[in-house]
């Protein structure tokens, strides 16, 4: 009996040992299989792993950054809107939110969280996953498509674990966190924390509050599900989970958690498409510049840089504040003057066109139809001209531009063309005349709807803004003084002279003649007959030679005396560059916009070298400035000095921001072209030269009278509003000092007698059509 019990006990112990051995064999086999799986995966049996180069440079598809002179990012070019930040730019509460929510033992493991893995396996993921930040980063970098097949996904997971451990060996914990924030896609063109901060909260990552940081970290779980634009309730709930995790691990107190959880999301959606944001026209100029630059400047291996994915940095001369002030000035005045333009067109049967026949109107509309995207698309689809034209006469739903915001409406495409023709356009360029650095560039009123850049691409007749070049030539060659006088009487240049087929007899606006006028008075009043006398003294060619030295395109500028009154078509870019010569003591400096280009590692690829040339003496430049100061003291730009409100309906309805009350020295010139088609104002202080143009897309779109259509009404207010904003921002250091006087000057510039003369004549606003 005893033996039997002993045998049964021994058998039981033997069975237990066998079970234990079996367990360890199975467990050992499992470990062996896992080991082999990892070993084979590391050898690439289940698909290639990233090589050392890929691990060394894992970040891809980096946007090219356009950076302003003050360090503010103006925009990006991208396939993915990703701009990397450094760890130092990440606030502590942002990093803490990530750690608390995604990987609380991040600083204790080497890529794989053993405790989390065991928990995930034991509870089949019901108590949380085991994926570490390093593994998630490996997934973002090297798993192009997450498999839905469980076996294949398991193999992908193994590869991600291997990559995670390699990343941990190669990078610090801070670098891994930074790469994770830089890589994640937060949707809505927000790839990486920099773009996400800007797009969802309109601020830099370093400026994020704890609540905002928790909102973005909450999106890591599934940005498609937790999309602030489509699922704000879910996003808020997820944010509150993140805040709870932060409180659980003592990153914030319970009181702070409760307070933040009660707050709204406060999303400030700021899309960063190519049509939105600051300096849109300048960014397009930069894109074209870079597209040409990469063709001529290949990488060391001979391949071309990709401006959309190579992470280049383009450092520009644009000052973000000045750019903002310029855009605000354009918006403020153009919205106001457009109201007046629409009001005056209510009784215009050919609106928005004037002074053209019905046949000419049809030609304009037909040409616009044929240039449109609609025409091109339908033509490519095989439609006949008749079918396309008929489609332009069918009413359809559309969204159109208005100064109160885009509006939904129903109209025919042909009517939409006529509608857009009636929208006045504007451009502004501002540069430092001593350095050539362009500080502000506004190519139009709205890049989304009007993409043609009127700073550099567009050329328009310049009216009386050309006259200072005639005066400068006379001063340079004949040593005339601003105080010298000429008769204000009708003047003709006979046929045959300068190749004229018939005599040329320009008229003064308003038909006002009589007496003698100093040169300063004549320029201030924009007297055409005096300008005609001056160009007849020196001839048209020396004037052309002068502006050519200032980089104005003269290929199509005829050597005819009529150029004195502004008949040539010139771009605003050329005009500002040329005028800056006067403020730079006679030295022309080419406007510069891009001064350095770096690759993603900070290696300098391009450095701008300023282009300069001597054009006129410092004395001639100073005397010309003295002449133009008269324009803003007593002439057509005199309204810059007014300190009182009031005036006629023009001031009340169209001179936006009036009165301006400037007291500092300003050299300037207004310009108005035939039929009031173009309004110009060029204004300078010692360290800033700014030009403004306003007009319709077509020359037949204009005001009916010069009181509204002159440069002093159409363009000068933009300059005044912009400069007032610049002066209010003392950090910009825009000068209020007098222009620098040359050490040696032989020409008299103090015309105190002229001042009495001007006051006696009660100089009116400019009416300088020709």
């Amino acid at each position: 009996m005893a033996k039997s019990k002993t045998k049964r006990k021994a058998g039981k112990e033997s069975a237990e040992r066998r079970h234990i051995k079996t367990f360890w064999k199975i467990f050992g086999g499992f470990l062996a299989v896992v080991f082999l799986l990892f070993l084979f995966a590391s050898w690439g049996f289940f698909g290639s792993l990233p090589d050392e180069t890929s691990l060394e440079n894992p970040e891809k598809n980096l946007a090219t950054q356009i950076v302003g002179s003050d360090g503010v990012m103006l925009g990006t070019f991208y396939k993915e809107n990703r701009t990397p930040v450094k760890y130092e730019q990440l606030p502590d509460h942002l990093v803490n939110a990530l750690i608390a929510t995604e990987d609380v033992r991040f600083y204790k493991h080497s890529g794989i969280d053993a405790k989390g893995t065991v928990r995930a396996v034991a509870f089949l993921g019901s108590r949380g996953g085991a994926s570490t930040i390093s593994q998630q980063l490996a997934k973002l970098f090297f798993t192009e498509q997450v498999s839905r097949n469980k076996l294949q996904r398991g193999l992908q997971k193994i590869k991600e674990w291997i990559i995670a451990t390699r990343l941990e060996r190669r990078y610090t914990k801070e670098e891994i966190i930074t790469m994770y924030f830089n890589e994640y896609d937060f949707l809505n063109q927000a790839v990486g924390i920099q773009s996400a901060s800007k797009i969802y909260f309109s601020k830099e990552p370093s400026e994020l509050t704890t609540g905002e940081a928790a909102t973005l970290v909450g999106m890591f779980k599934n940005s498609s599900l937790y999309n602030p634009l489509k699922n704000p309730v879910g996003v808020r709930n997820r944010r509150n989970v993140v805040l709870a995790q932060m409180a659980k691990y003592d990153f914030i107190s319970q009181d702070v958690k409760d307070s933040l959880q009660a707050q709204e999301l406060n999303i400030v959606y700021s899309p960063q498409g190519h049509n939105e944001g600051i300096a849109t026209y300048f960014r397009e100029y930069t894109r074209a510049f870079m597209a040409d630059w990469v063709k001529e400047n290949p990488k060391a291996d001979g391949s071309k840089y990709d401006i959309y994915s190579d992470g280049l940095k383009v450092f520009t001369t644009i000052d973000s504040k000045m750019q903002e002030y310029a855009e605000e000035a354009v918006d403020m005045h153009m919205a106001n003057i457009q109201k007046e333009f629409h009001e005056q067109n209510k009784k215009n049967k050919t609106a928005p066109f004037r002074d053209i026949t019905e046949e000419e109107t049809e030609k304009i509309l037909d040409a616009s139809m044929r240039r449109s995207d609609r025409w091109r698309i339908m033509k490519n689809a095989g439609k006949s001209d008749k079918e396309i034209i008929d489609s332009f006469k069918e009413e359809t739903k559309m969204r159109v531009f208005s100064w109160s915001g885009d509006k939904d409406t129903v109209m025919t495409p042909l009517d939409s063309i006529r509608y857009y023709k009636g929208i006045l356009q504007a451009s502004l360029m501002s540069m430092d005349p001593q350095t050539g650095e362009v500080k502000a560039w506004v190519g139009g009123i709205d890049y989304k709807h009007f993409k043609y850049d009127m700073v550099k691409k567009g050329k328009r007749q310049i009216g009386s803004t050309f006259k200072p070049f005639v005066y400068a030539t006379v001063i340079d060659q004949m040593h005339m003084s601003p105080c010298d006088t000429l008769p204000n009487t009708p003047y003709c240049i006979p046929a045959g002279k300068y190749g004229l087929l018939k005599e040329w007899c320009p008229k003064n606006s308003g038909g006002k003649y009589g007496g003698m006028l100093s040169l300063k008075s004549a320029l201030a009043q924009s007297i055409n007959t005096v300008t005609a006398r001056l160009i007849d003294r020196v001839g048209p060619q020396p004037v052309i030679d002068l502006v050519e030295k200032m980089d104005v395109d003269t290929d199509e500028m005829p050597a005819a005396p009529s150029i004195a009154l502004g008949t040539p078509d010139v771009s605003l870019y050329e005009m500002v560059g040329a005028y800056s010569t006067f403020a730079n003591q006679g030295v022309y400096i080419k406007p510069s916009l891009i001064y350095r280009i770096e690759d993603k590692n900070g290696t300098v690829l391009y450095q701008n070298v300023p282009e300069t040339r001597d054009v006129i003496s410092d004395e001639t430049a100073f005397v010309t400035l003295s002449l133009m100061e008269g324009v803003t003291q007593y002439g057509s730009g005199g309204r810059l000095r007014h300190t009182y409100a009031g005036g006629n309906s023009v001031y009340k309805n169209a001179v936006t921001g009036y009165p301006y009350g400037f007291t500092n020295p300003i050299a300037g010139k207004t310009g108005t072209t035939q039929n009031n088609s173009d309004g110009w104002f060029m204004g300078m202080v010692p360290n800033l030269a700014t030009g403004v143009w306003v007009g319709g897309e077509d020359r037949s779109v204009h005001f009916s009278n010069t009181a509204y259509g002159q440069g002093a009404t159409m363009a000068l207010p933009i300059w005044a509003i912009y400069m007032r904003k610049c002066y209010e921002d003392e950090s910009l250091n825009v000068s209020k000092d007098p222009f620098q006087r040359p050490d040696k000057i032989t020409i008299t510039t103090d015309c105190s007698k002229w001042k009495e003369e001007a006051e006696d004549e009660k100089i009116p606003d400019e009416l300088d059509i020709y």
Side-chain angles (χ1 to χ4, degrees):
M1 191 72 165
K3 289 182 178 179
S4 176
K5 287 183 178 180
T6 302
K7 286 181 179 180
R8 284 199 300 271
K9 185 177 181 181
K12 186 178 180 181
E13 290 176 353
S14 177
E16 287 177 353
R17 284 196 296 270
R18 285 198 303 270
H19 289 321
I20 291 172
K21 287 181 179 179
T22 301
F23 169 78
W24 283 111
K25 285 179 181 179
I26 293 172
F27 184 70
F30 172 75
L31 290 179
V33 170
V34 170
F35 174 77
L36 289 173
L37 283 173
F38 274 87
L39 181 64
F40 291 157
S42 66
W43 289 348
F45 281 26
F46 307 130
S48 61
L49 290 171
D51 57 19
E52 291 299 312
T53 302
S54 298
L55 288 173
E56 187 68 34
N57 299 284
E59 292 185 332
K60 54 189 176 182
N61 286 335
L62 299 179
T64 287
Q65 301 173 58
I66 309 167
V67 184
S69 61
D70 52 358
V72 175
M73 189 164 66
L74 304 176
T76 54
F77 304 132
Y78 56 83
K79 291 176 182 175
E80 296 179 350
N81 189 18
R82 185 200 324 278
T83 302
V85 299
K86 297 179 180 179
Y87 183 79
E88 293 75 23
Q89 297 172 266
L90 303 175
D92 290 342
H93 49 260
L94 179 65
V95 175
N96 292 340
L98 179 69
I99 298 297
T101 309
E102 298 291 327
D103 190 357
V104 73
R105 284 179 291 277
F106 175 68
Y107 291 106
K108 297 179 180 179
H109 63 66
S110 299
I112 299 175
D113 182 3
K115 184 177 179 180
T117 302
V118 171
R119 182 198 63 220
V121 172
F123 295 97
L124 300 178
S126 63
R127 294 192 181 180
S131 185
T132 64
I133 291 174
S134 304
Q135 288 171 244
Q136 293 177 48
L137 180 61
K139 176 183 174 182
L140 287 176
F141 276 148
F142 303 110
T143 302
E144 294 183 2
Q145 182 68 44
V146 175
S147 177
R148 294 187 176 183
N149 182 286
K150 291 184 177 180
L151 177 60
Q152 290 182 344
R153 180 61 191 136
L155 294 176
Q156 286 180 337
K157 276 281 189 182
I158 292 172
K159 291 167 66 176
E160 289 166 9
W161 285 344
I162 294 170
I163 295 169
T165 58
R166 292 184 179 180
L167 289 172
E168 288 272 353
R169 289 198 299 269
R170 184 171 293 276
Y171 296 102
T172 66
K173 292 290 187 179
E174 289 75 17
E175 289 172 329
I176 289 173
I177 283 178
T178 305
M179 287 190 287
Y180 189 46
F181 273 117
N182 284 333
E183 185 68 16
Y184 192 76
D185 187 350
F186 293 87
L187 297 188
N188 302 306
Q189 297 180 335
V191 183
I193 194 65
Q194 170 75 29
S195 297
S197 301
K198 283 285 190 180
I199 288 175
Y200 292 122
F201 296 107
S202 193
K203 57 177 63 175
E204 295 292 328
S206 60
E207 299 170 334
L208 291 171
T209 65
T210 301
E212 292 164 347
T215 299
L216 295 179
V217 167
M219 294 178 70
F220 278 112
K221 185 174 181 65
N222 184 340
S223 58
S224 296
L225 176 60
Y226 299 108
N227 183 336
L229 304 186
K230 295 183 178 180
N231 183 18
V233 174
V235 171
R236 181 176 177 177
N237 291 338
R238 180 60 186 166
R239 177 205 66 183
N240 289 348
V241 169
V242 174
L243 292 170
Q245 288 293 106
M246 294 180 74
K248 177 181 178 181
Y249 294 108
D250 296 326
F251 289 119
I252 58 175
S253 68
Q254 287 294 327
D255 289 343
V256 170
K257 181 208 76 169
D258 293 340
S259 174
L260 293 176
Q261 285 182 336
Q263 294 180 6
E264 297 296 328
L265 287 178
N266 296 321
I267 297 294
V268 184
Y269 182 57
S270 306
Q272 288 190 339
H274 296 304
N275 291 333
E276 293 89 17
I278 194 172
T280 46
Y281 290 91
F282 172 72
R283 279 154 43 195
E284 176 56 25
Y285 165 84
T286 305
R287 187 202 62 77
F289 176 93
M290 292 301 297
D292 290 337
W293 182 84
V294 297
K295 293 176 184 177
E296 304 296 328
N297 298 272
K299 298 179 183 178
D301 61 5
S303 62
K304 290 183 180 179
Y305 286 101
D306 188 331
I307 64 173
Y308 300 103
S309 62
D310 277 342
L312 302 176
K313 272 192 175 182
V314 183
F315 294 90
T316 73
T317 62
I318 297 293
D319 183 288
S320 68
K321 290 182 179 178
M322 297 176 77
Q323 179 68 30
E324 181 180 343
Y325 300 152
E327 292 180 10
E328 288 174 353
V330 169
D331 290 350
M332 183 176 173
H333 177 61
M334 295 308 295
N336 185 46
I337 203 170
Q338 188 68 50
K339 290 180 188 175
E340 182 63 27
F341 188 68
H342 281 323
E343 188 65 28
Q344 293 189 20
N345 265 323
K346 286 181 177 179
K347 296 180 181 180
N348 176 17
K349 294 181 179 180
T350 60
F353 309 105
R354 291 184 184 274
D355 306 321
I356 60 174
T357 64
E358 186 62 33
E359 182 181 355
E360 290 171 322
T361 299
E362 292 301 322
K363 284 183 178 179
I364 291 173
L365 296 176
D366 184 70
S368 296
M369 272 197 302
R370 295 174 185 274
R371 290 196 305 267
S372 69
D373 289 338
R374 183 186 186 90
W375 184 284
R376 176 179 53 79
I377 292 169
M378 294 185 72
K379 197 69 176 175
N380 291 339
K383 301 294 183 181
S384 66
D385 286 4
K386 184 179 183 305
E387 289 176 308
I388 300 174
I389 292 172
D390 288 343
S391 77
F392 271 86
K393 299 175 182 178
E394 298 174 1
E395 286 192 342
T396 183
K397 293 180 179 179
M398 62 179 68
R399 174 167 287 189
V400 297
F401 167 85
S402 80
W403 278 109
S404 58
D406 290 359
K407 63 180 182 180
D408 295 314
T409 186
V410 176
M411 64 172 72
T412 69
L414 186 59
D415 284 341
S416 74
I417 291 175
R418 186 183 285 267
Y419 171 79
Y420 277 117
K421 290 290 185 182
I423 305 293
L424 294 174
Q425 302 298 315
S427 58
L428 177 151
M429 177 175 147
S430 186
M431 69 175 273
D432 184 327
Q434 274 78 50
T435 65
E437 295 180 354
V438 176
K439 295 300 179 182
W441 175 298
V442 185
I445 60 172
D446 186 281
Y447 184 74
K448 178 181 177 182
H449 295 280
F450 308 99
K451 287 188 164 51
Y452 194 73
D453 190 332
M454 288 301 296
V455 168
K456 194 170 186 182
K457 288 183 179 178
K459 293 190 175 188
R460 296 294 285 257
Q461 287 184 330
I462 51 178
S464 291
T465 55
F466 193 82
K467 288 177 180 176
F469 302 124
V470 177
Y471 281 72
T473 304
V474 170
I475 293 166
D476 190 51
Q477 295 196 1
M478 305 186 70
H479 224 59
M480 290 188 72
S481 163
C483 310
D484 289 339
T485 59
L486 291 173
N488 179 21
T489 56
Y491 186 79
C492 293
I493 297 178
K497 196 172 186 180
Y498 311 120
L500 291 173
L501 298 178
K502 59 180 181 179
E503 68 174 0
W504 181 63
C505 305
K507 298 178 180 179
N508 287 340
S509 295
K512 185 179 179 181
Y513 302 94
M516 300 291 288
L517 288 177
S518 66
L519 296 193
K520 197 163 190 175
S521 175
L523 183 64
Q525 297 182 68
S526 211
I527 301 298
N528 291 339
T529 55
V530 172
T531 308
R533 291 176 185 275
L534 293 175
I535 199 167
D536 194 23
R537 291 193 177 193
V538 295
Q541 191 57 51
V543 179
I544 293 174
D545 292 341
L546 174 69
V547 297
E548 187 174 17
K549 292 176 184 176
M550 297 175 175
D551 233 21
V552 174
D553 182 5
T554 60
D555 289 347
E556 297 183 13
M557 191 177 293
S562 60
I563 65 171
L565 305 187
T567 56
D569 286 356
V570 182
S571 71
L572 180 61
Y573 174 88
E574 293 171 306
M575 288 296 289
V576 176
Y579 263 65
S580 293
T581 305
F582 300 124
N584 195 32
Q585 299 178 297
V587 178
Y588 171 80
I589 183 166
K590 186 174 183 178
S592 62
L593 295 113
I594 295 169
Y595 67 87
R596 190 170 78 249
I597 300 171
E598 295 180 358
D599 67 13
K600 66 179 182 180
N601 298 315
T603 303
V604 177
L605 306 175
Y606 167 84
Q607 186 76 49
N608 178 63
V609 178
E611 295 181 32
T612 65
R613 71 177 69 95
D614 293 336
V615 176
I616 51 178
S617 67
D618 57 353
E619 182 181 32
T620 297
F622 179 78
V623 173
T624 307
L625 287 173
S626 176
L627 282 168
M628 287 191 282
E629 283 188 82
V631 173
T632 67
Q633 290 167 342
Y634 317 107
S636 57
R639 58 182 61 174
L640 288 172
R641 307 287 181 187
H642 296 177
T643 57
Y644 51 87
N648 56 31
S649 60
V650 177
Y651 287 90
K652 293 176 181 177
N653 299 335
V655 186
T656 313
Y658 180 83
Y660 306 117
F662 290 103
T663 58
N664 56 291
I666 299 170
K669 187 69 190 80
T670 54
T672 311
T673 62
Q674 194 169 26
N675 295 329
N676 312 306
S677 295
D678 305 274
W680 292 78
F681 185 71
M682 309 295 298
M684 294 177 288
V685 296
N687 64 348
L688 197 64
T690 304
V692 179
W693 166 86
V694 175
E697 180 182 330
D698 294 87
R699 297 181 197 273
S700 55
V701 176
H702 55 78
F703 279 102
S704 60
N705 62 73
T706 306
Y708 285 94
Q710 63 177 307
T713 302
M714 291 226 289
L716 179 145
I718 294 176
W719 189 94
I721 296 167
Y722 166 67
M723 289 298 293
R724 188 160 60 192
K725 287 176 178 288
C726 288
Y727 280 132
E728 288 171 354
D729 189 339
E730 295 181 359
S731 68
L732 298 177
N733 295 316
V734 178
S735 176
K736 290 186 177 181
D737 297 330
F739 292 96
Q740 184 176 345
R741 186 181 181 89
D743 294 333
K744 181 180 180 182
I745 186 164
T746 60
I747 299 174
T748 302
T749 57
D750 181 11
C751 307
S752 33
K753 179 183 176 182
W754 172 86
K755 181 178 179 181
E756 297 172 4
E757 173 189 304
E759 290 173 343
D760 290 342
E761 293 175 0
K762 297 180 182 178
I763 296 173
D765 285 333
E766 173 197 33
L767 303 174
D768 62 331
I769 57 176
Y770 46 84

